[in-house]
Amino acid sequence: MQDGFWRQLLRGTLPLLVWAAHFTFCYLLAAAQCTPAAMRAGGPDRVLMGIVTVVALALCAWLLWRERGILRNAKEAALLDWAAALGALLAFVGIVWTGLPLLLVQGCS
């Protein structure tokens, strides 16, 4: 089965795009809610950022689950298969890492 170029490109980069969207959303929300004009008591909305983080982690876990077959058939796996699986794993770890400030930051300084 031959997939189109754009479909293959999306398959290989979608986890990294999820990570980038999560990073951008969380840090722009934190920056917007910590400006003097829009200062929020207690700092950025940690519940909203927590929900976005859980959704992004679930999406990356699902993408990694979809690629689990490469571990069983490693001899038949193509570069795109490895890129999609390892990209999903990298994005999952990256989202956990960029989500850590949710646990550590108590408010705007």
Side-chain angles (χ1 to χ4, degrees):
M1 180 169 113
Q2 290 192 352
D3 292 331
F5 171 76
W6 295 110
R7 186 177 175 125
Q8 289 179 357
L9 182 67
L10 187 61
R11 179 178 168 217
T13 59
L14 185 59
L16 302 176
L17 293 173
V18 170
W19 178 17
H22 170 265
F23 180 86
T24 303
F25 176 81
C26 286
Y27 281 84
L28 283 179
L29 180 69
Q33 291 182 345
C34 285
T35 60
M39 185 70 75
R40 210 175 155 267
D45 189 356
R46 293 173 58 173
V47 173
L48 178 60
M49 288 193 295
I51 291 169
V52 169
T53 300
V54 168
V55 168
L57 286 172
L59 184 57
C60 284
W62 177 73
L63 290 169
L64 185 58
W65 177 259
R66 274 185 25 184
E67 300 298 333
R68 73 190 180 281
I70 67 162
L71 299 176
R72 291 187 211 140
N73 301 323
K75 293 180 182 179
E76 298 175 12
L79 179 62
L80 178 60
D81 299 327
W82 285 104
L86 294 177
L89 182 62
L90 176 67
F92 189 88
V93 172
I95 291 169
V96 169
W97 185 256
T98 56
L100 280 177
L102 292 174
L103 303 174
L104 303 174
V105 176
Q106 296 299 322
C108 300
S109 301

XYZ file of all heavy atoms in Angstrom:
830
model
N 0.840 -1.183 0.000
C 0.000 0.000 0.000
C 0.885 1.248 0.000
O 1.756 1.399 0.843
C -0.876 -0.022 1.245
C -1.785 1.148 1.345
S -2.988 0.883 2.637
C -2.466 2.119 3.777
N 0.664 2.119 -0.952
C 1.460 3.328 -1.032
C 0.648 4.509 -0.535
O -0.455 4.763 -1.006
C 1.916 3.566 -2.459
C 2.944 2.573 -2.908
C 3.582 3.013 -4.204
O 3.158 3.968 -4.826
N 4.617 2.304 -4.606
N 1.211 5.189 0.421
C 0.582 6.400 0.935
C 1.138 7.596 0.191
O 2.240 7.568 -0.335
C 0.880 6.562 2.431
C 0.190 5.504 3.270
O -0.878 5.033 2.852
O 0.717 5.162 4.343
N 0.375 8.656 0.203
C 0.843 9.885 -0.411
C 1.914 10.542 0.434
O 2.106 10.236 1.604
N 2.632 11.465 -0.187
C 3.722 12.168 0.489
C 3.240 12.874 1.748
O 3.863 12.776 2.806
C 4.370 13.169 -0.472
C 5.349 14.075 0.201
C 6.606 13.600 0.540
C 5.024 15.383 0.503
C 7.520 14.429 1.170
C 5.923 16.216 1.129
C 7.180 15.741 1.465
N 2.141 13.623 1.652
C 1.672 14.408 2.789
C 1.189 13.520 3.936
O 1.379 13.848 5.093
C 0.569 15.375 2.349
C 1.088 16.392 1.392
C 0.812 16.480 0.064
C 2.024 17.438 1.686
N 1.507 17.517 -0.493
C 2.262 18.130 0.480
C 2.670 17.852 2.824
C 3.119 19.212 0.401
C 3.537 18.936 2.745
C 3.751 19.602 1.546
N 0.609 12.403 3.588
C 0.163 11.465 4.622
C 1.367 10.870 5.366
O 1.359 10.733 6.586
C -0.672 10.368 3.984
C -1.291 9.446 4.984
C -2.153 8.422 4.277
N -2.644 7.479 5.240
C -3.907 7.193 5.417
N -4.819 7.780 4.669
N -4.267 6.324 6.313
N 2.396 10.525 4.624
C 3.606 9.999 5.250
C 4.301 11.065 6.098
O 4.781 10.780 7.195
C 4.573 9.481 4.191
C 4.116 8.223 3.519
C 5.100 7.757 2.463
O 6.104 8.409 2.197
N 4.799 6.626 1.851
N 4.343 12.279 5.572
C 4.949 13.373 6.319
C 4.205 13.619 7.624
O 4.817 13.797 8.685
C 4.976 14.640 5.473
C 5.625 15.857 6.111
C 7.117 15.624 6.286
C 5.386 17.090 5.261
N 2.887 13.605 7.568
C 2.088 13.813 8.773
C 2.275 12.665 9.760
O 2.373 12.888 10.971
C 0.612 13.960 8.401
C -0.317 14.339 9.549
C 0.082 15.691 10.134
C -1.742 14.381 9.067
N 2.349 11.450 9.255
C 2.545 10.297 10.133
C 3.862 10.403 10.891
O 3.952 10.067 12.069
C 2.530 9.013 9.316
C 2.747 7.784 10.162
C 2.680 6.520 9.333
N 3.166 5.397 10.111
C 3.864 4.418 9.621
N 4.133 4.383 8.330
N 4.281 3.449 10.390
N 4.897 10.872 10.240
C 6.200 10.974 10.876
C 6.355 12.167 11.798
O 7.163 12.135 12.726
N 5.591 13.220 11.561
C 5.780 14.450 12.337
C 4.626 14.800 13.266
O 4.758 15.720 14.066
C 6.011 15.648 11.399
O 4.880 15.792 10.533
C 7.274 15.477 10.589
N 3.501 14.105 13.188
C 2.351 14.455 14.013
C 2.660 14.476 15.504
O 2.253 15.416 16.201
C 1.166 13.529 13.720
C -0.129 13.875 14.442
C -0.596 15.280 14.080
C -1.205 12.855 14.110
N 3.396 13.505 16.060
C 3.692 13.587 17.493
C 4.477 14.842 17.858
O 4.220 15.464 18.893
C 4.517 12.330 17.766
C 4.241 11.419 16.652
C 3.909 12.267 15.471
N 5.405 15.232 17.007
C 6.197 16.426 17.282
C 5.352 17.692 17.148
O 5.571 18.677 17.864
C 7.412 16.468 16.364
C 8.329 15.243 16.470
C 9.450 15.330 15.455
C 8.864 15.086 17.866
N 4.373 17.661 16.256
C 3.450 18.796 16.134
C 2.561 18.900 17.367
O 2.242 20.009 17.822
C 2.604 18.652 14.869
C 3.360 18.763 13.546
C 2.439 18.440 12.373
C 3.971 20.137 13.391
N 2.159 17.765 17.918
C 1.373 17.766 19.165
C 2.204 18.370 20.294
O 1.722 19.198 21.066
C 0.901 16.342 19.524
C 0.307 16.281 20.913
C -0.090 15.834 18.492
N 3.453 17.968 20.379
C 4.352 18.509 21.399
C 4.510 20.022 21.227
O 4.426 20.781 22.206
C 5.688 17.806 21.304
C 6.760 18.246 22.246
C 6.623 18.981 23.391
C 8.145 17.973 22.135
N 7.846 19.167 23.983
C 8.796 18.557 23.238
C 8.905 17.268 21.204
C 10.166 18.462 23.429
C 10.275 17.184 21.411
C 10.895 17.775 22.506
N 4.724 20.472 20.011
C 4.895 21.899 19.749
C 3.625 22.682 20.085
O 3.690 23.773 20.663
C 5.281 22.123 18.290
N 2.466 22.130 19.740
C 1.204 22.805 20.051
C 0.995 22.883 21.568
O 0.551 23.914 22.093
C 0.041 22.070 19.390
N 1.320 21.807 22.275
C 1.184 21.804 23.737
C 2.111 22.846 24.360
O 1.694 23.636 25.211
C 1.514 20.412 24.285
C 1.634 20.385 25.774
N 2.842 20.513 26.423
C 0.694 20.266 26.735
C 2.633 20.470 27.723
N 1.344 20.325 27.939
N 3.354 22.844 23.941
C 4.324 23.800 24.465
C 3.873 25.231 24.220
O 3.869 26.067 25.121
C 5.691 23.555 23.807
C 6.770 24.480 24.281
C 7.500 24.192 25.416
C 7.065 25.638 23.583
C 8.492 25.043 25.849
C 8.049 26.494 24.008
C 8.775 26.200 25.151
N 3.472 25.507 22.984
C 3.048 26.854 22.618
C 1.833 27.296 23.419
O 1.800 28.399 23.975
C 2.748 26.932 21.109
O 3.915 26.539 20.395
C 2.335 28.315 20.692
N 0.820 26.431 23.515
C -0.388 26.784 24.240
C -0.092 27.056 25.713
O -0.504 28.082 26.261
C -1.444 25.678 24.116
C -2.679 25.958 24.919
C -3.650 26.805 24.430
C -2.852 25.395 26.178
C -4.787 27.080 25.176
C -3.978 25.673 26.928
C -4.953 26.518 26.425
N 0.603 26.140 26.360
C 0.841 26.277 27.803
C 1.680 27.507 28.140
O 1.356 28.254 29.070
C 1.493 25.021 28.360
S 0.343 23.634 28.493
N 2.732 27.723 27.382
C 3.594 28.849 27.715
C 3.002 30.188 27.292
O 3.223 31.198 27.969
C 5.000 28.622 27.159
C 5.758 27.683 28.061
C 5.618 26.304 27.927
C 6.544 28.163 29.086
C 6.273 25.439 28.784
C 7.209 27.302 29.947
C 7.064 25.935 29.790
O 7.711 25.085 30.648
N 2.225 30.231 26.225
C 1.535 31.483 25.883
C 0.434 31.782 26.898
O 0.232 32.945 27.266
C 0.952 31.414 24.475
C 1.944 31.583 23.336
C 1.233 31.471 21.986
C 2.678 32.903 23.439
N -0.276 30.762 27.353
C -1.301 30.974 28.381
C -0.670 31.489 29.666
O -1.164 32.443 30.271
C -2.068 29.683 28.644
C -3.174 29.777 29.697
C -4.318 30.634 29.171
C -3.667 28.393 30.077
N 0.436 30.871 30.076
C 1.127 31.321 31.287
C 1.644 32.746 31.131
O 1.504 33.566 32.039
C 2.267 30.372 31.620
N 2.197 33.052 29.974
C 2.708 34.402 29.743
C 1.579 35.422 29.702
O 1.701 36.519 30.262
C 3.498 34.445 28.443
N 0.468 35.069 29.085
C -0.657 35.997 28.997
C -1.294 36.230 30.359
O -1.705 37.345 30.669
C -1.694 35.469 28.011
N -1.379 35.187 31.171
C -2.038 35.335 32.470
C -1.103 35.876 33.549
O -1.546 36.117 34.663
C -2.639 34.004 32.903
C -3.815 33.618 32.045
C -4.474 32.327 32.478
O -3.925 31.548 33.236
N -5.678 32.096 31.981
N 0.156 36.055 33.231
C 1.090 36.637 34.190
C 1.543 38.037 33.789
O 2.462 38.581 34.392
C 2.300 35.716 34.373
S 1.930 34.267 35.379
N 0.931 38.625 32.770
C 1.256 40.010 32.417
C 0.541 40.928 33.395
O -0.506 40.586 33.938
C 0.815 40.336 30.984
O -0.594 40.158 30.882
C 1.531 39.492 29.967
N 1.083 42.104 33.631
C 0.432 43.016 34.576
C -1.015 43.364 34.192
O -1.860 43.532 35.058
C 1.327 44.259 34.533
C 2.659 43.745 34.119
C 2.376 42.605 33.192
N -1.319 43.422 32.900
C -2.669 43.787 32.473
C -3.680 42.668 32.711
O -4.860 42.927 32.917
C -2.669 44.169 31.000
N -3.232 41.441 32.685
C -4.152 40.309 32.830
C -3.750 39.405 33.985
O -3.992 38.208 33.956
C -4.189 39.514 31.534
N -3.130 39.984 35.008
C -2.649 39.191 36.140
C -3.796 38.415 36.756
O -4.862 38.965 37.020
C -2.013 40.092 37.192
C -1.388 39.354 38.340
S 0.104 38.467 37.903
C 1.246 39.804 37.764
N -3.575 37.173 36.949
C -4.568 36.269 37.523
C -4.121 35.906 38.922
O -2.981 35.525 39.141
C -4.636 35.003 36.660
C -5.955 34.370 36.646
C -5.960 33.207 35.670
N -6.992 32.308 36.116
C -6.786 31.277 36.919
N -5.592 30.961 37.290
N -7.779 30.545 37.324
N -5.008 36.005 39.864
C -4.672 35.631 41.238
C -4.320 34.147 41.274
O -5.053 33.311 40.776
C -5.843 35.915 42.160
N -3.180 33.826 41.839
C -2.757 32.434 41.920
C -1.954 31.962 40.727
O -1.576 30.806 40.667
N -1.717 32.820 39.780
C -0.912 32.438 38.625
C -1.742 31.884 37.487
O -2.967 31.990 37.469
N -1.076 31.262 36.546
C -1.768 30.721 35.372
C -2.782 29.644 35.753
O -2.669 29.014 36.803
C -0.646 30.120 34.528
C 0.615 30.697 35.050
C 0.367 31.062 36.468
N -3.743 29.458 34.910
C -4.794 28.462 35.137
C -4.195 27.059 35.032
O -4.065 26.500 33.945
C -5.914 28.659 34.112
C -7.129 27.813 34.409
O -7.085 27.015 35.371
O -8.131 27.955 33.689
N -3.831 26.493 36.167
C -3.167 25.186 36.188
C -4.109 24.060 35.795
O -3.675 23.048 35.263
C -2.575 24.937 37.569
C -1.430 25.893 37.865
C -0.943 25.784 39.255
N -0.503 24.407 39.531
C 0.098 24.055 40.633
N 0.359 24.944 41.553
N 0.465 22.802 40.823
N -5.400 24.221 36.055
C -6.364 23.177 35.682
C -6.447 23.067 34.162
O -6.385 21.967 33.599
C -7.750 23.458 36.299
C -8.780 22.480 35.778
C -7.676 23.422 37.814
N -6.575 24.202 33.489
C -6.644 24.199 32.029
C -5.366 23.636 31.422
O -5.409 22.794 30.516
C -6.914 25.606 31.503
C -6.956 25.770 29.985
C -8.054 24.895 29.379
C -7.154 27.224 29.612
N -4.216 24.059 31.933
C -2.963 23.541 31.407
C -2.801 22.054 31.727
O -2.233 21.304 30.932
C -1.784 24.349 31.940
C -1.705 25.725 31.331
S -0.154 26.597 31.613
C -0.163 26.836 33.356
N -3.302 21.618 32.860
C -3.264 20.201 33.195
C -4.119 19.373 32.254
O -3.712 18.289 31.812
N -5.295 19.873 31.921
C -6.173 19.170 30.983
C -5.529 19.075 29.607
O -5.533 18.019 28.974
C -7.557 19.864 30.914
C -8.309 19.666 32.226
C -8.369 19.351 29.729
C -9.554 20.507 32.361
N -4.949 20.183 29.149
C -4.280 20.190 27.841
C -3.098 19.219 27.855
O -2.865 18.496 26.876
C -3.837 21.627 27.475
C -2.919 21.631 26.271
C -5.054 22.494 27.221
N -2.370 19.157 28.953
C -1.237 18.243 29.064
C -1.698 16.791 29.019
O -1.105 15.958 28.320
C -0.446 18.523 30.355
O 0.041 19.868 30.313
C 0.717 17.567 30.516
N -2.761 16.467 29.731
C -3.276 15.092 29.733
C -3.772 14.698 28.341
O -3.515 13.583 27.871
C -4.377 14.930 30.800
C -5.123 13.619 30.633
C -3.782 15.027 32.191
N -4.450 15.611 27.655
C -4.935 15.323 26.298
C -3.753 15.108 25.346
O -3.751 14.173 24.538
C -5.861 16.453 25.797
C -6.139 16.335 24.310
C -7.159 16.452 26.586
N -2.730 15.952 25.442
C -1.558 15.801 24.573
C -0.825 14.488 24.868
O -0.390 13.793 23.944
C -0.620 16.992 24.751
N -0.703 14.132 26.155
C -0.068 12.858 26.508
C -0.875 11.675 25.985
O -0.306 10.697 25.477
C 0.103 12.751 28.018
C 1.210 13.598 28.629
C 1.135 13.551 30.147
C 2.565 13.157 28.134
N -2.186 11.753 26.099
C -3.036 10.669 25.609
C -2.912 10.529 24.094
O -2.853 9.408 23.571
C -4.486 10.919 26.004
N -2.859 11.648 23.384
C -2.713 11.596 21.931
C -1.374 10.982 21.527
O -1.313 10.134 20.628
C -2.875 12.990 21.331
C -2.851 13.097 19.820
C -3.922 12.213 19.188
C -3.053 14.540 19.399
N -0.308 11.365 22.208
C 1.006 10.791 21.891
C 1.063 9.312 22.273
O 1.673 8.514 21.559
C 2.111 11.566 22.597
S 2.464 13.135 21.798
N 0.434 8.943 23.376
C 0.394 7.526 23.761
C -0.379 6.722 22.724
O 0.022 5.606 22.370
C -0.234 7.373 25.144
N -1.465 7.276 22.214
C -2.244 6.587 21.177
C -1.419 6.448 19.893
O -1.434 5.402 19.255
C -3.548 7.334 20.913
C -4.339 6.727 19.814
C -5.046 5.560 19.839
C -4.505 7.259 18.494
N -5.640 5.335 18.620
C -5.323 6.362 17.781
C -4.042 8.410 17.866
C -5.684 6.586 16.455
C -4.409 8.623 16.558
C -5.216 7.714 15.869
N -0.695 7.510 19.519
C 0.153 7.440 18.322
C 1.258 6.404 18.505
O 1.591 5.671 17.569
C 0.747 8.812 18.012
C -0.242 9.858 17.499
C 0.398 11.237 17.478
C -0.780 9.488 16.144
N 1.819 6.319 19.694
C 2.836 5.307 19.968
C 2.226 3.911 19.945
O 2.823 2.972 19.429
C 3.495 5.586 21.317
C 4.663 4.696 21.718
C 5.769 4.772 20.672
C 5.189 5.103 23.074
N 1.022 3.761 20.471
C 0.328 2.476 20.458
C 0.072 2.003 19.025
O 0.187 0.822 18.722
C -0.980 2.588 21.228
C -1.797 1.345 21.223
C -2.888 1.084 20.458
C -1.578 0.170 22.000
N -3.371 -0.157 20.721
C -2.583 -0.754 21.667
C -0.636 -0.196 22.950
C -2.667 -2.006 22.243
C -0.722 -1.438 23.524
C -1.728 -2.321 23.164
N -0.267 2.947 18.151
C -0.494 2.595 16.746
C 0.760 2.055 16.079
O 0.677 1.253 15.152
C -0.944 3.830 15.958
C -2.403 4.087 16.011
C -2.807 5.225 15.133
N -1.881 5.471 14.020
C -1.981 6.451 13.179
N -2.963 7.300 13.283
N -1.120 6.614 12.207
N 1.911 2.487 16.522
C 3.181 2.090 15.912
C 3.841 0.914 16.628
O 4.969 0.564 16.333
C 4.152 3.288 15.889
C 3.653 4.475 15.115
C 3.422 4.200 13.650
O 4.071 3.304 13.100
O 2.578 4.880 13.052
N 3.133 0.285 17.548
C 3.726 -0.795 18.336
C 4.139 -1.993 17.491
O 4.982 -2.776 17.905
C 2.780 -1.231 19.436
C 1.583 -2.018 18.929
C 0.538 -2.235 19.989
N -0.591 -2.991 19.487
C -1.574 -2.503 18.742
N -1.553 -1.218 18.421
N -2.559 -3.260 18.330
N 3.597 -2.146 16.310
C 3.911 -3.278 15.450
C 5.352 -3.315 14.984
O 5.865 -4.390 14.660
N 6.041 -2.176 14.979
C 7.433 -2.187 14.516
C 8.327 -2.938 15.484
O 9.360 -3.459 15.096
C 7.982 -0.775 14.262
C 8.107 0.001 15.548
C 7.181 -0.039 13.247
C 9.006 1.187 15.443
N 7.929 -2.989 16.739
C 8.741 -3.729 17.698
C 8.636 -5.230 17.463
O 9.573 -5.973 17.719
C 8.312 -3.383 19.121
C 8.457 -1.912 19.499
C 7.904 -1.667 20.888
C 9.897 -1.479 19.411
N 7.504 -5.674 16.964
C 7.312 -7.096 16.674
C 7.972 -7.498 15.364
O 8.499 -8.583 15.237
C 5.823 -7.414 16.600
C 5.145 -7.320 17.931
C 3.724 -7.816 17.831
N 2.939 -7.077 18.805
C 1.732 -6.623 18.623
N 1.127 -6.815 17.473
N 1.094 -5.981 19.563
N 7.917 -6.631 14.372
C 8.468 -6.925 13.041
C 9.601 -5.957 12.717
O 9.552 -5.230 11.733
C 7.378 -6.813 11.972
C 6.236 -7.759 12.228
O 6.441 -8.873 12.691
N 5.026 -7.326 11.941
N 10.620 -5.949 13.544
C 11.712 -4.985 13.384
C 12.453 -5.165 12.058
O 12.971 -4.203 11.509
C 12.683 -5.093 14.545
N 12.487 -6.378 11.537
C 13.202 -6.611 10.281
C 12.477 -6.015 9.087
O 13.085 -5.662 8.097
C 13.406 -8.108 10.059
C 14.346 -8.727 11.048
C 14.526 -10.198 10.784
C 15.454 -10.797 11.827
N 15.639 -12.230 11.631
N 11.160 -5.898 9.193
C 10.358 -5.373 8.083
C 10.053 -3.888 8.210
O 9.443 -3.312 7.332
C 9.050 -6.157 7.992
C 9.235 -7.628 7.705
C 7.922 -8.380 7.738
O 6.849 -7.729 7.752
O 7.964 -9.610 7.746
N 10.457 -3.281 9.300
C 10.125 -1.881 9.543
C 10.953 -0.957 8.652
O 12.154 -1.147 8.479
C 10.354 -1.539 11.003
N 10.287 0.032 8.115
C 10.957 1.033 7.288
C 11.363 2.227 8.162
O 11.002 2.311 9.338
C 10.017 1.491 6.175
N 12.101 3.138 7.572
C 12.545 4.320 8.300
C 11.363 5.130 8.808
O 11.391 5.639 9.932
C 13.443 5.175 7.397
C 13.972 6.464 8.018
C 14.836 6.158 9.229
C 14.746 7.262 6.999
N 10.320 5.243 8.012
C 9.136 5.990 8.431
C 8.490 5.355 9.651
O 8.020 6.059 10.545
C 8.126 6.084 7.287
C 6.825 6.806 7.604
C 7.098 8.254 8.023
C 5.881 6.760 6.429
N 8.473 4.038 9.715
C 7.909 3.354 10.879
C 8.683 3.703 12.144
O 8.096 4.006 13.181
C 7.930 1.836 10.672
C 7.116 1.400 9.472
O 6.101 2.057 9.180
O 7.505 0.409 8.826
N 10.003 3.658 12.058
C 10.835 4.010 13.210
C 10.696 5.485 13.570
O 10.646 5.832 14.753
C 12.300 3.667 12.933
C 12.567 2.212 13.017
C 12.743 1.343 11.978
C 12.651 1.424 14.209
N 12.933 0.075 12.449
C 12.889 0.088 13.822
C 12.551 1.716 15.562
C 13.034 -0.946 14.729
C 12.690 0.675 16.477
C 12.933 -0.623 16.062
N 10.632 6.345 12.559
C 10.488 7.781 12.822
C 9.169 8.077 13.519
O 9.121 8.889 14.455
C 10.587 8.567 11.516
N 8.094 7.432 13.103
C 6.793 7.660 13.729
C 6.776 7.155 15.168
O 6.280 7.847 16.071
C 5.698 6.976 12.909
N 7.335 5.979 15.410
C 7.341 5.415 16.762
C 8.249 6.203 17.697
O 7.850 6.570 18.809
C 7.765 3.952 16.717
N 9.465 6.470 17.257
C 10.397 7.199 18.121
C 9.998 8.665 18.277
O 10.232 9.259 19.331
C 11.816 7.069 17.584
C 12.375 5.638 17.629
C 13.756 5.584 17.007
C 12.392 5.113 19.042
N 9.374 9.236 17.252
C 8.854 10.599 17.381
C 7.755 10.676 18.418
O 7.680 11.631 19.198
N 6.880 9.662 18.452
C 5.816 9.634 19.459
C 6.399 9.484 20.861
O 5.937 10.130 21.808
C 4.835 8.503 19.158
N 7.420 8.659 21.004
C 8.067 8.487 22.302
C 8.766 9.772 22.728
O 8.641 10.204 23.886
C 9.064 7.329 22.242
C 9.782 6.997 23.535
C 8.779 6.567 24.610
C 10.809 5.908 23.300
N 9.475 10.400 21.814
C 10.149 11.661 22.112
C 9.143 12.742 22.490
O 9.357 13.499 23.442
C 10.981 12.109 20.905
C 11.663 13.468 21.030
C 12.737 13.426 22.093
C 12.250 13.892 19.697
N 8.050 12.822 21.758
C 7.033 13.828 22.058
C 6.401 13.571 23.423
O 6.144 14.513 24.177
C 5.966 13.837 20.970
N 6.154 12.312 23.767
C 5.587 11.970 25.070
C 6.514 12.447 26.189
O 6.073 13.102 27.130
C 5.360 10.456 25.165
C 4.592 10.036 26.376
C 3.215 9.988 26.348
C 5.244 9.692 27.550
C 2.492 9.615 27.463
C 4.538 9.319 28.674
C 3.152 9.272 28.634
N 7.798 12.147 26.062
C 8.770 12.577 27.070
C 8.868 14.102 27.095
O 8.934 14.713 28.171
C 10.146 11.934 26.803
C 11.220 12.514 27.703
C 10.062 10.428 26.994
N 8.841 14.725 25.930
C 8.897 16.185 25.866
C 7.695 16.850 26.509
O 7.832 17.871 27.185
N 6.526 16.288 26.343
C 5.322 16.854 26.958
C 5.384 16.695 28.469
O 5.005 17.607 29.214
C 4.055 16.218 26.353
C 3.891 16.681 24.909
C 2.818 16.564 27.168
C 2.851 15.923 24.127
N 5.863 15.549 28.934
C 6.045 15.372 30.387
C 7.025 16.418 30.904
O 6.773 17.061 31.940
C 6.539 13.948 30.711
C 6.990 13.836 32.148
C 5.452 12.920 30.419
N 8.111 16.609 30.197
C 9.136 17.568 30.629
C 8.604 19.002 30.634
O 8.849 19.745 31.581
C 10.359 17.455 29.720
C 11.492 18.314 30.154
C 11.884 19.487 29.597
C 12.383 18.070 31.244
N 12.964 19.996 30.269
C 13.286 19.140 31.293
C 12.484 17.055 32.187
C 14.285 19.223 32.238
C 13.492 17.144 33.126
C 14.373 18.209 33.154
N 7.906 19.407 29.586
C 7.391 20.778 29.548
C 6.164 20.942 30.426
O 5.766 22.069 30.730
C 7.047 21.224 28.110
O 6.129 20.313 27.534
C 8.287 21.320 27.256
N 5.557 19.843 30.863
C 4.429 19.921 31.790
C 4.849 19.964 33.244
O 4.021 20.238 34.121
N 6.127 19.713 33.539
C 6.601 19.731 34.922
C 6.389 21.069 35.631
O 6.101 21.077 36.830
C 8.076 19.340 34.991
C 8.361 17.851 34.922
C 9.863 17.603 34.930
C 7.696 17.103 36.043
N 6.529 22.205 34.956
C 6.281 23.466 35.663
C 4.875 23.574 36.259
O 4.659 24.323 37.199
C 6.500 24.542 34.589
C 7.479 23.913 33.672
C 7.119 22.456 33.637
N 3.921 22.805 35.729
C 2.588 22.816 36.321
C 2.634 22.366 37.778
O 1.861 22.836 38.609
C 1.655 21.869 35.558
C 1.289 22.262 34.139
C 0.496 21.147 33.481
C 0.470 23.537 34.164
N 3.534 21.456 38.078
C 3.664 20.955 39.444
C 4.532 21.837 40.314
O 4.426 21.810 41.536
C 4.245 19.533 39.417
C 3.484 18.507 38.607
C 4.271 17.205 38.560
C 2.113 18.281 39.204
N 5.420 22.591 39.682
C 6.422 23.338 40.439
C 6.090 24.813 40.655
O 6.469 25.387 41.666
C 7.771 23.224 39.720
C 8.271 21.795 39.487
C 9.535 21.814 38.655
C 8.495 21.077 40.787
N 5.422 25.440 39.711
C 5.162 26.875 39.775
C 3.907 27.143 40.587
O 2.849 26.572 40.309
C 5.039 27.471 38.351
C 4.674 28.935 38.396
C 6.331 27.262 37.578
N 4.031 27.998 41.568
C 2.890 28.314 42.432
C 2.148 29.575 42.002
O 1.006 29.763 42.359
C 3.366 28.479 43.876
C 3.926 27.207 44.459
C 2.894 26.095 44.500
O 1.728 26.310 44.770
N 3.337 24.887 44.180
N 2.783 30.424 41.255
C 2.123 31.649 40.812
C 3.058 32.482 39.962
O 4.154 32.067 39.623
N 2.603 33.659 39.620
C 3.412 34.559 38.812
C 4.396 35.287 39.730
O 4.044 35.727 40.815
C 2.528 35.578 38.105
S 1.312 34.837 37.005
N 5.614 35.413 39.286
C 6.627 36.106 40.098
C 6.991 37.419 39.464
O 7.143 37.554 38.336
C 7.881 35.266 40.217
O 7.602 34.038 40.810
